[in-house]
Amino acid sequence: MEPSQFFNSNAGTYYDTDAGMGTMNELSARHIEQGVCGRVLSIGGMWPRHSPEAVSSLDLVVADVSDEMLRPHREAGISTVLDDARALSFPDESFDHVVLPLVLHHITEQSWRAARREVQKVLGEVRRVLKAGGQIWISEFSVSRPVYWVEAAAAPVTRLVLGFAGIPLVVMHSAEFYRGVLLRQRFTDLSSYYPAPSDASWRDPIRPIIGLPWLKVPRGLYPVRPVVLSAVAAW
Ligand SMILES: C[S@@+](CC[C@H](N)C(=O)[O-])C[C@H]1O[C@@H](n2cnc3c(N)ncnc32)[C@H](O)[C@@H]1O
């Protein structure tokens, strides 16, 4: 199933279900909002826990392949566009900031290897639509190198199992992989922010799989680490 179809069918549950990442999302949102200004493109929906006040000061467009995922933003009066991160419909150098909130791990073409290629394609597109000196913000779940290689080896089976439930493959990349692609796409001044809520416990329940909202696991058993990477498009 294509991500657009999957998210059109699951948008209601996605927005109604607390995934258990609230405090992390809160910290990431405040971090992003301290940095973004001017004309901003958010690809793959909005950054969760965004503040309406912060957003109202921006010239913001939200892009997504799923019309149902865009619906609440459109209804809130935000400018939206049905668009694919891999082939954006915007002219070169149109934005001061581009945010990718929890979207890159969904762009996989159903294989671990293809997912790496697709991330390169997306970041190339982001580079194209950013003004020189503009900034990219990637909010993601990162994995350690060993987990990344296990994930690669397990991807065919993961794909099969998720496929039975009608869920497209997701691939969580390592922060090192994202940094490498950013450097290859001529981004500079890379920085990383790891949200670390003081009251978080490894036992806190999270719902790690969109499409299986009944599945809850303790955070400590899910080997991902939220990160916000940012970088500047070189002149
Ligand atoms: C996990 S949701 C994140 C939604 C929101 N950003 C958030 O963090 O709550 C992933 C989003 O990425 C969108 N998406 C998936 N593939 C995409 C693509 N190729 N281009 C643009 N959006 C895409 C999905 O439709 C979905 O809205």
Side-chain angles (χ1 to χ4, degrees):
M1 187 188 274
E2 284 294 312
S4 52
Q5 253 182 300
F6 174 75
F7 278 100
N8 276 336
S9 313
N10 287 275
T13 323
Y14 181 80
Y15 286 125
D16 288 347
T17 313
D18 177 13
M21 303 298 274
T23 334
M24 303 272 188
N25 289 340
E26 190 81 43
L27 292 175
S28 298
R30 299 297 80 77
H31 179 74
I32 293 167
E33 286 164 3
Q34 275 167 23
V36 295
C37 57
R39 184 148 168 80
V40 179
L41 173 64
S42 186
I43 307 175
M46 273 301 284
W47 51 94
R49 301 280 177 131
H50 60 272
S51 121
E53 298 76 54
V55 163
S56 67
S57 69
L58 305 172
D59 177 6
L60 173 70
V61 183
V62 181
D64 201 300
V65 284
S66 159
D67 197 47
E68 285 304 311
M69 288 297 281
L70 285 173
R71 183 193 294 274
H73 308 312
R74 198 167 44 240
E75 289 176 356
I78 296 174
S79 168
T80 62
V81 57
L82 205 55
D83 215 354
D84 191 317
R86 296 166 293 186
L88 294 169
S89 59
F90 299 96
D92 297 359
E93 302 192 24
S94 1
F95 294 95
D96 300 298
H97 291 262
V98 175
V99 188
L100 295 154
L102 304 179
V103 56
L104 288 173
H105 63 275
H106 289 285
I107 306 182
T108 67
E109 288 289 340
Q110 297 293 334
S111 101
W112 185 86
R113 199 177 286 276
R116 286 167 64 91
R117 196 185 57 226
E118 295 301 291
V119 167
Q120 311 228 25
K121 205 184 283 181
V122 173
L123 297 196
E125 274 296 87
V126 171
R127 182 72 182 75
R128 181 181 70 73
V129 301
L130 265 177
K131 297 175 186 170
Q135 216 168 332
I136 183 173
W137 301 81
I138 299 174
S139 178
E140 263 307 329
F141 299 118
S142 65
V143 293
S144 65
R145 271 177 219 241
V147 170
Y148 198 32
W149 297 117
V150 170
E151 199 186 355
V157 176
T158 311
R159 172 190 166 167
L160 207 68
V161 173
L162 290 177
F164 285 126
I167 301 170
L169 179 72
V170 292
V171 174
M172 312 294 180
H173 299 280
S174 66
E176 289 78 13
F177 166 71
Y178 286 124
R179 289 192 196 102
V181 181
L182 286 167
L183 291 173
R184 279 197 292 285
Q185 293 291 349
R186 290 177 301 112
F187 283 94
T188 59
D189 299 325
L190 272 57
S191 77
S192 313
Y193 168 73
Y194 290 94
S198 50
D199 56 349
S201 155
W202 71 270
R203 281 192 226 93
D204 295 340
I206 58 164
R207 292 186 168 88
I209 304 182
I210 301 169
L212 301 180
W214 45 265
L215 179 69
K216 280 193 199 178
V217 298
R219 187 196 306 282
L221 294 184
Y222 192 55
V224 302
R225 188 176 181 202
V227 63
V228 181
L229 297 159
S230 62
V232 175
W235 292 83

